[in-house]
Amino acid sequence: ISHVLVCNVTQRVSFWFVVTDPSKNHTLPAVEVQSAIRMNRNRINSAFFLNDQTLEFLKIPSTLAPPSDPSVPIWIIIFGVIFCIVIVAVMLLILSGIRQRRRMSKGPTEVDDSEDKCENTITIENGIPCDPLDTKGGHINDAFLTEDERLTPL
Amino acid sequence: GGGGDDERPSWDNRLQYLLSCIGFAVGLGNIWRFPYLCQTYGGGAFLVPYLIALVLEGIPLFHIELAIGQRLRRGSVGVWKAVSPYLGGVGLGCLTVSFLVSLYYNTVLTWVLWYFLNSFQNPLPWGSCPLDLNRTGRFEAECQASSTVSYFWYRQTLNITANISDSGSVQWRLLACLAVSWAVVYLCVIRGIESTGKAIYFTALFPYLVLTVFLIRGLTLPGAVGGLTYLFTPDVQVLQSPRVWLDAATQIFFSLSLAFGGHIAFASYNPPRNNCEKDAVTIALVNSMTSLYASIAVFSVLGFKAANDHGRCLDRNILRLINAFDLPDQSVSRDDYAAVLTHLNATQPERVARLCLETCRLEDFLDKSAAGTGLAFIIFTEAVLHMPGAPGWAVLFFGMLFTLGLSSMFGNMESIITPLLDMGLAHRSVPKEVLTGLVCLLCFLSATCFTLQSGNYWLEIFDNYVAPLNLMVFAFFEVVGVAYVYGMQRFGDDIEYMTGRRPGLYWRLTWKVVSPLLLLTIFVAYVAVLAWTPLSYRAWDAQYAQFPSRQEKSYPGWVQAACVLLCFLPALWVPAVALAQLLAEHRRKKDSCQDRCPKL
C-alpha cells in the first residue's frame, strides 16, 4: 500500500487519513475521496471483514438499500383470492337454495297430477290405489302360505 | 307471524348450540380487555371481584336468557312481548343495540383483516419506516418521531385526521376490506343457524388452537416468566377502590354478551326439553376460563416484549458509553452494565452526566399496557416483529382475532335476524337468503362512515357509549320482567318442564333480589362515573408539540349531543312501547265501556 499516510493514531482503531496523487504530488480533495468511498463502500468493508455497523466513516452516511416495492402489493393478491372464494361460495349457496326451493315446489304438484290420473283409470280404496292387483298379476298371497304351514306335514 | 313451532329451524346437535353460545360470549374483549383489567387492578387480586360478579350477576342473568328463549321459542322481540305487552320495548331496544354494535364490531374485524392481509410478507410492513417523499435518504418525519408500528396503524391503515370534525375522505383500502368482511359474515349467516351451525365448528375452535400455540411459544420466549409473575402478582390494596368492583361487574356483563338478545335467539332453536341450567353454568365458566387462558398467553408475550425493549435500552446506553470512553467494542455486556456505570460514575462523574443516559427499568416497560385496539395493533404487532418467524406468528394472531370476532358477529346477526323473522315482516315467499342479504347490505352501507379518516374517533364513541347504559337498562327489565311480571311460580314450572328440576334457592334469591339490586347499583355508579369524566378524546396530531403523545381534545358540541343520544335513545323504546300499550288499553276500555254503558 502506498500513497496513504496515517496520522493522529488513537487507542481505539480510528484514524484520519489523506490520499495523495503521485503523478501530481498533492493530496486529493476530501469531496472526491468521500464520493469514491461511498461508491466502493462494499469493497472497503469486505477488505477489513467488517460491515457498515462496525466500520464508520465520519461524515459519510451509509447508503440505505432501496425499499422493495413490488409492482402489485402482496395484500391485494391475497385480498383478491379471498374475495373470489367468498363470492363463489355465496353464489353456490344461493343457487343450491333456489334449486332446493324449485324441487320442493315441483314435488307436491307432480304427486297431485299422478293421483288424478290414477282416479280416472284405477279405483282407490281407502286411499290406496288398487294398482298392485291389476298390473302385478300373479301375486302370492301370504295369508295362504301361513295356512299351509299350519297344517302338519305328512 | 312466522316462527311456528313445526317450521322453526333447529340445531343439528347440542354441540353446535353450545359452540354458538360460547363463540358469541368469547370475543375480542376476552383477549384485549380482560388482561388489561387484570394488569391495572392488581394482577391476581382482580379475580376476586370478577368471580363474585360472575356468581351474583353473570350466571343468573345468563340462565334467565337461555331459559326464557328456550321456553317461549321466539327471538328477543317476541319473548318480551309474550312476557308482557308493556315490556315489548325491551326486545326492540335489544334489536337496535345489536344493530349498532354489529356496525362497529365488524369495522374492527375489517382492521384485523387488513393486518392479516399484510402479514403474508417478509419483512413485515410495520417493521420499517417508509422513505421520505423525495427519497433523499431520510425516513418520513412522522414515522421517525413516533414508531414504525404506530405509523403503520395511524397513517397507513387509518390515515387518521387530527380531530374528529375533520372527516377526511373514505379510505378505499378499508372500504374494500369492509366489503369482504361483510361478505364473509353474509356467507356464514345466509341461512340462519343452518349455515352458522356449520361455520361455528371452525370459528369457535380455531382460536383455542392458536391460543395454545401462542401459549407454548410465549412461555418459551426469554422474559416471559418474568412478565407473568410481575403481572399476576396480586396487590390486595387495590380491592379497596370501588372502581375495581364496578369494572369487574361491567366486564362480566359485556364479556357474556348479555342483554343483546343473541342468547335468547340461539336458545329459541333448542328442543323444548333441554337442560338450560347446565348450559348456562357451563358456558359462563368456559368464557371465564378462556379469559384467564388468553391473559396467560398475552402476558407471556408482553413480558417478552418488555424484556426485549429493556435489553435494547441497555444496548443503546452501552453504545453511548463505549463511544464516549473509547472502550473496545462488545466489552460491556448487559449484565456488566450496572457495575461499569457505577465505576465510571465514581471516577468521572461529569463526563457520565453529559452523556444523557436513559433510565432502563424493566418494571417501567412491564407497566406499559394498553387495552383494545392499542394492544392488538401496536403492542402485539411490535412484539411479533421480534419473534423468529414473524410473518407466521402475525398470520396466526390476526387469523385468531378474525375468527374470534366472526363468531361473536354470528350472535349479533342472529339477534337482529331472528326477531325480524319472528315479527313476520317478510312474506313467506321471500326466501331467508334475501332477508339476511338485505340486513348485511344495510349494515355494510351504514358502516362505511367508519372508513372515513376520522372513523376511529367515531368508533371509540360508539364503543364507549352505545352498549353500556342501554344494555344495563334492558338487563334490569329482563330480570324484573321474568322474576315479577312473568312470575317466579310460572317460571319455576317452565324450568321444571325443561330440566326436570325446580330452580333452587340460589337461583330464586339472585333473580328476585340480588341481581336487580346489583344492576341498579352498577347503573347508578356508571352514570355517575360518566357524568364526572369530561367528554374528550385523544387525537393523533403530528403538529402537536409533544407528539407522539396523543393530544387530549374535547368533543365539539354536536358530537357531545350525539354521544348523549347514543347513550339513551335505544333505551327509550321501553317507555315508548309501554306508553303506546297504555294508550291502546285505555282506548279499548273506553270502547268496551261505550258498548256496555247504554245497556245499563
Side-chain angles (χ1 to χ4, degrees), chain A residues 8 11 13 21 23-24 30-32 34 36-37 45 49 60-61 84-85 92-93 95 97-98 100-101 114-115 127 139:
Chain A
N8 257 355
Q11 211 178 27
V13 182
D21 188 352
S23 55
K24 294 180 191 160
V31 186
E32 276 187 39
Q34 276 174 4
I37 292 176
N45 280 349
F49 292 112
I60 305 181
C84 291
I85 293 178
L92 282 176
L93 278 176
L95 285 173
I98 294 177
Q100 233 176 22
R101 214 158 290 123
S114 61
E115 273 189 5
H139 183 84

Side-chain angles (χ1 to χ4, degrees), chain B residues 134-259:
Chain B
N134 303 331
R135 298 284 174 92
T136 52
R138 289 247 179 84
F139 293 120
E140 278 269 353
E142 193 180 347
C143 184
Q144 272 204 305
S146 56
S147 70
T148 56
V149 280
S150 307
Y151 181 76
F152 187 78
W153 168 235
Y154 285 110
R155 189 52 51 212
Q156 290 178 308
T157 306
L158 299 174
N159 200 5
I160 206 164
T161 51
N163 55 47
I164 193 171
S165 1
D166 186 7
S167 298
S169 55
V170 171
Q171 299 300 295
W172 68 268
R173 288 172 235 254
L174 287 183
L175 191 67
C177 289
L178 186 74
V180 169
S181 203
W182 275 110
V184 172
V185 169
Y186 177 52
L187 172 67
C188 296
V189 174
I190 191 168
R191 287 208 199 129
I193 63 166
E194 282 176 52
S195 41
T196 59
K198 311 276 188 313
I200 200 77
Y201 287 117
F202 176 69
T203 58
L205 293 175
F206 180 69
Y208 285 98
L209 180 68
V210 175
L211 267 181
T212 313
V213 170
F214 260 100
L215 187 72
I216 298 175
R217 174 75 265 223
L219 286 175
T220 53
L221 286 170
V225 181
L228 271 177
T229 41
Y230 180 74
L231 294 165
F232 264 126
T233 320
D235 175 17
V236 195
Q237 300 290 3
V238 134
L239 291 182
Q240 293 168 358
S241 126
R243 195 62 204 270
V244 181
W245 298 87
L246 176 66
D247 276 341
T250 46
Q251 171 62 16
I252 269 292
F253 191 75
F254 300 128
S255 181
L256 284 172
S257 305
L258 294 171

Side-chain angles (χ1 to χ4, degrees), chain B residues 41-63:
Chain B
Y41 290 129
F46 181 69
L47 291 178
V48 172
Y50 184 75
L51 286 174
I52 292 180
L54 178 70
V55 164
L56 290 182
E57 175 202 351
I59 297 185
L61 281 172
F62 196 49
H63 189 196

Side-chain angles (χ1 to χ4, degrees), chain A residues 12-148:
Chain A
R12 216 175 176 196
V13 182
S14 72
F15 44 84
W16 295 89
F17 64 93
V18 295
V19 181
T20 57
D21 188 352
S23 55
K24 294 180 191 160
N25 210 17
H26 68 82
T27 60
L28 293 170
V31 186
E32 276 187 39
V33 180
Q34 276 174 4
S35 53
I37 292 176
R38 202 182 279 131
M39 299 275 275
N40 296 299
R41 191 61 189 271
N42 226 12
R43 285 174 59 195
I44 302 175
N45 280 349
S46 47
F48 290 106
F49 292 112
L50 297 169
N51 54 29
D52 281 355
Q53 268 78 45
T54 39
L55 177 63
E56 186 191 0
F57 287 91
L58 293 175
K59 292 190 209 162
I60 305 181
S62 31
T63 320
L64 303 158
S68 57
D69 236 348
S71 51
V72 181
I74 297 185
W75 74 269
I76 290 188
I77 301 173
I78 313 215
F79 171 84
V81 166
I82 296 183
F83 193 59
C84 291
I85 293 178
V86 171
I87 294 293
V88 164
V90 168
M91 289 294 155
L92 282 176
L93 278 176
I94 292 181
L95 285 173
S96 78
I98 294 177
R99 215 177 297 144
Q100 233 176 22
R101 214 158 290 123
R102 234 181 257 159
R103 215 179 296 147
M104 271 173 46
S105 60
K106 245 189 249 171
T109 54
E110 278 177 355
V111 172
D112 288 339
D113 286 344
S114 61
E115 273 189 5
D116 287 339
K117 284 190 203 146
C118 281
E119 276 181 359
N120 289 333
T121 54
I122 303 167
T123 51
I124 292 185
E125 202 170 296
N126 294 336
I128 305 165
C130 306
D131 205 6
L133 293 176
D134 286 343
T135 54
K136 277 190 188 165
H139 183 84
I140 297 174
N141 194 341
D142 289 335
F144 286 108
L145 267 177
T146 50
E147 275 203 10
D148 277 340

Side-chain angles (χ1 to χ4, degrees), chain B residues 327-387:
Chain B
L327 298 170
D329 193 34
Q330 292 180 1
S331 62
V332 183
S333 71
R334 286 180 190 173
D335 301 324
D336 298 333
Y337 169 72
V340 169
L341 185 63
T342 38
H343 171 75
L344 285 173
N345 242 340
T347 49
Q348 305 175 58
E350 325 83 39
R351 281 185 74 183
V352 172
R354 242 182 297 145
L355 280 179
C356 330
L357 297 172
E358 314 167 34
T359 41
C360 298
R361 281 179 63 238
L362 185 60
E363 290 77 29
D364 292 340
F365 290 106
L366 282 170
D367 281 334
K368 275 200 204 135
S369 61
T373 51
L375 179 74
F377 298 122
I378 297 184
I379 296 192
F380 228 80
T381 44
E382 211 197 313
V384 157
L385 277 177
H386 301 295
M387 291 162 75

